[in-house]
Amino acid sequence: MKCPNCHEKISKDTVICPNCSFEIDENKQVGHNSFAIWGFIVSLLSLAVGFVFINLVGVTLSAIGLGKKEEYPKSKNLGRAGLWIGILGAIAWTILILWYVSL
């Protein structure tokens, strides 16, 4: 976890940052996890478009966003959702494309 004020690494249980004396409120999230947000959006939109490449972009962005769950704990579910939607969408579109080609 990082201090929202000075961005130094601190432990999860820290109440006051030892570096800048900032009072940590664990319910307060500063900023947004852009990777998780865009990963979810791209994964969701790729279900309609049907390009497996776009699904993989959504999965990649969601995975990066999920990797930042320590900095942005409230958006970890958004990263997970984008990851699963992207993976399942890529599998579904791959099966559909292979089925269509085999006709």
Side-chain angles (χ1 to χ4, degrees):
M1 180 174 163
K2 288 187 180 181
C3 172
N5 189 42
C6 68
H7 304 290
E8 289 292 320
K9 273 199 151 199
I10 55 173
S11 67
K12 280 190 203 179
D13 304 331
T14 304
V15 178
I16 296 176
C17 177
N19 189 42
C20 68
S21 302
F22 184 76
E23 187 173 338
I24 308 296
D25 180 11
E26 60 188 49
N27 295 325
K28 184 172 83 173
Q29 179 178 347
V30 177
H32 301 286
N33 189 344
S34 299
F35 286 106
I37 293 169
W38 279 107
F40 179 76
I41 291 171
V42 170
S43 294
L44 201 57
L45 290 176
S46 67
L47 290 176
V49 174
F51 294 120
V52 177
F53 173 74
I54 296 174
N55 285 94
L56 298 177
V57 170
V59 167
T60 303
L61 290 172
S62 295
I64 293 170
L66 197 55
K68 294 179 174 265
K69 66 183 176 186
E70 292 294 322
E71 296 173 48
Y72 306 100
K74 291 185 179 179
S75 60
K76 67 180 175 186
N77 291 333
L78 193 61
R80 285 181 185 155
L83 193 65
W84 280 109
I85 290 171
I87 290 171
L88 294 175
I91 291 170
W93 279 108
T94 302
I95 291 171
L96 188 64
I97 290 168
L98 291 175
W99 174 74
Y100 182 75
V101 169
S102 69
L103 292 178

